[in-house]
Amino acid sequence: MQAAHHVSLKDYNTFGIHVFAEIFYQITTEDQLTKVLAAHKDQELFILGGGSNMLLTQDINSPVLHIDLKGVAVVSETEDEIILKVAAGENWHDFVLFCIDNNYGGLENLSLIPGNVGTAPIQNIGAYGVELKDCFTSCTAIHIKTQDTHTFSKEACKFGYRNSIFKNELKGQYIINSVNFLLTKKNHNLRTSYGAIQEALDAKKIESPTIKNISEAVIAIRQSKLPDPKELGNSGSFFKNPVVELDFFNAFLDKFPEAPFYKVSDTAYKIPAGWLIEVAGLKGNRINDAGVHKNQALVLVNYGNATGKEIWALAMKVKDTVYKKFGITIEPEVNIF
Ligand code: EPU
């Protein structure tokens, strides 16, 4: 397979950062994937999915493999449930809409999340009370060095909050090529308890919501808070919500009784990084074209011509300012290259 050379990655990352890939492969079949892997087996590779969870701070000299495998197939089906096998290069939101159109329930709360199906398990994408792992049954992945295909069960993936084995023990070792989802065909398990969803449904006087109603509510909520990457480059939440221990949390709450929080366990509490950043005074802050979003401080944005280095400098300013004010370290959720 022929590579393209000196390709701008601006249209391949949702931050819209203009850096170059010296060697670029658009992979549309598994056969191409194994051949390209074999041809470069002694080199570092750069695997690119939907480009929605990365900040590019420099040109990429390693060969870039853009995983563009497509297809949705039925693995098995009963009256109540269906298992779908979805190729890694399918756009996540398009797949969610396909499920809604076919009345397959489970993923509706994950509407409008940028990125592709194949990269969703890596960070166990989540929103509005649901995580990918709730509908995930298995995935297949190709080992980069040996080109062997492995199947990973849900347990094997070791999913956690924005986390999986693919970010830890197996980091950089596999390319996920397909993901299997178990979805409901009736008696859907609707999750409306996340505050804003119920409010959106109440506002429309919907008492017995369908999965389509929930999807539409989530889309409306996300559109009201989160910038559309097509209009304003961004990578969703730039930071993870920090988790703090009970003693620290109690002292923190004494000082900031109005702070929102989620209980993680009897000894651990999660504090929204967006709130910390806003109260630290950085919402709407800007360095050239790199900015902290004006409606959701957890999101960093590219107003047009920001470089990856400028966004990273802003991220470090945010991290330092939050630490100075609260003594809490916030870590990026996005991958930095
Ligand atoms: N908040 C502020 N100011 C802000 C942003 C948030 O005060 O600028 C407060 C909100 O008022 C609320 C709390 O922080 O009390 C939490 O905010 P929100 O419900 O918007 O959720 P989040 O914690 O900021 C997380 C995920 C999002 C996901 C939403 C909804 C992480 C890092 N982020 O955000 O995920 O959509 O919950 O479930 O866990 C993503 O990963 O790209 C993403 C957008």
Side-chain angles (χ1 to χ4, degrees), residues 190 192 198 201 205-211 213-214:
L190 304 177
T192 58
Q198 195 55 55
L201 295 171
K205 301 204 168 36
I206 297 172
E207 279 173 16
S208 319
T210 61
I211 57 171
N213 295 144
I214 293 180

Side-chain angles (χ1 to χ4, degrees), residues 14 20 42 48 72 105 184 196 209 213 216 228 240-241 243 252 298 311-312 323 330:
T14 60
F20 287 97
D42 299 321
L48 178 64
V72 178
T184 50
N213 295 144
E216 284 169 357
D228 178 352
K240 287 190 270 201
N241 288 331
V243 175
F252 168 82
L298 194 51
I311 302 229
W312 185 238
Y323 185 78
I330 52 172

Side-chain angles (χ1 to χ4, degrees), residues 25 39 49 51 58 70 95 109 142 146 149 164 190 196 206 208 222 228-229 232 239 244-245 252 260 274 333:
Y25 292 99
Q58 56 194 325
K70 299 283 189 200
F95 169 58
N109 294 45
I142 297 182
T146 65
T149 300
S164 77
L190 304 177
I206 297 172
S208 319
R222 289 187 75 98
D228 178 352
L232 193 60
F239 296 97
V244 298
E245 298 292 316
F252 168 82
E333 192 211 73

Side-chain angles (χ1 to χ4, degrees), residues 74-291:
V74 177
V75 175
S76 63
E77 186 168 10
T78 64
E79 246 179 52
D80 300 324
E81 292 176 336
I82 187 163
I83 296 183
L84 295 177
K85 177 179 175 145
V86 187
E90 289 289 342
N91 174 271
W92 176 264
H93 182 59
D94 289 347
F95 169 58
V96 172
L97 292 181
F98 167 87
C99 293
I100 306 289
D101 284 348
N102 287 282
N103 195 34
Y104 301 149
L107 299 176
E108 51 283 353
N109 294 45
L110 303 181
S111 297
L112 212 61
I113 294 185
N116 286 354
V117 168
T119 36
I122 299 176
Q123 62 150 343
N124 181 28
I125 59 170
Y128 307 105
V130 174
E131 289 182 333
L132 166 122
K133 73 169 170 51
D134 302 334
C135 294
F136 176 101
T137 59
S138 66
C139 66
T140 58
I142 297 182
H143 191 265
I144 290 177
K145 294 292 172 211
T146 65
Q147 292 100 59
D148 291 336
T149 300
H150 290 256
T151 300
F152 290 89
S153 66
K154 177 144 90 179
E155 292 67 37
C157 290
K158 298 189 187 171
F159 289 121
Y161 167 62
R162 297 291 193 276
N163 212 354
S164 77
I165 196 165
F166 302 107
K167 279 179 92 170
N168 294 292
E169 295 98 297
L170 300 184
K171 189 172 180 177
Q173 293 186 34
Y174 282 90
I175 297 173
I176 294 173
N177 54 347
S178 75
V179 184
N180 283 14
F181 296 93
L182 174 63
L183 304 163
T184 50
K185 290 167 64 176
K186 52 182 169 185
N187 303 323
H188 302 304
N189 173 19
L190 304 177
R191 274 122 334 159
T192 58
S193 59
Y194 197 96
I197 294 188
Q198 195 55 55
E199 279 164 32
L201 295 171
D202 289 347
K204 287 181 118 185
K205 301 204 168 36
I206 297 172
E207 279 173 16
S208 319
T210 61
I211 57 171
K212 191 172 172 55
N213 295 144
I214 293 180
S215 172
E216 284 169 357
V218 168
I219 290 172
I221 298 163
R222 289 187 75 98
Q223 282 176 338
S224 72
K225 289 201 204 179
L226 297 167
D228 178 352
K230 289 192 194 98
E231 285 156 25
L232 193 60
N234 75 87
S235 214
S237 303
F238 193 90
F239 296 97
K240 287 190 270 201
N241 288 331
V243 175
V244 298
E245 298 292 316
L246 184 62
D247 287 348
F248 184 97
F249 177 72
N250 285 333
F252 168 82
L253 214 57
D254 281 345
K255 261 176 116 177
F256 302 100
E258 71 288 9
F261 60 85
Y262 321 101
K263 186 173 176 177
V264 179
S265 70
D266 284 344
T267 56
Y269 287 80
K270 198 185 273 180
I271 303 169
W275 184 89
L276 297 171
I277 297 167
E278 178 169 347
V279 174
L282 289 167
K283 200 170 184 170
N285 195 276
R286 193 165 165 166
I287 301 179
N288 301 329
D289 267 0

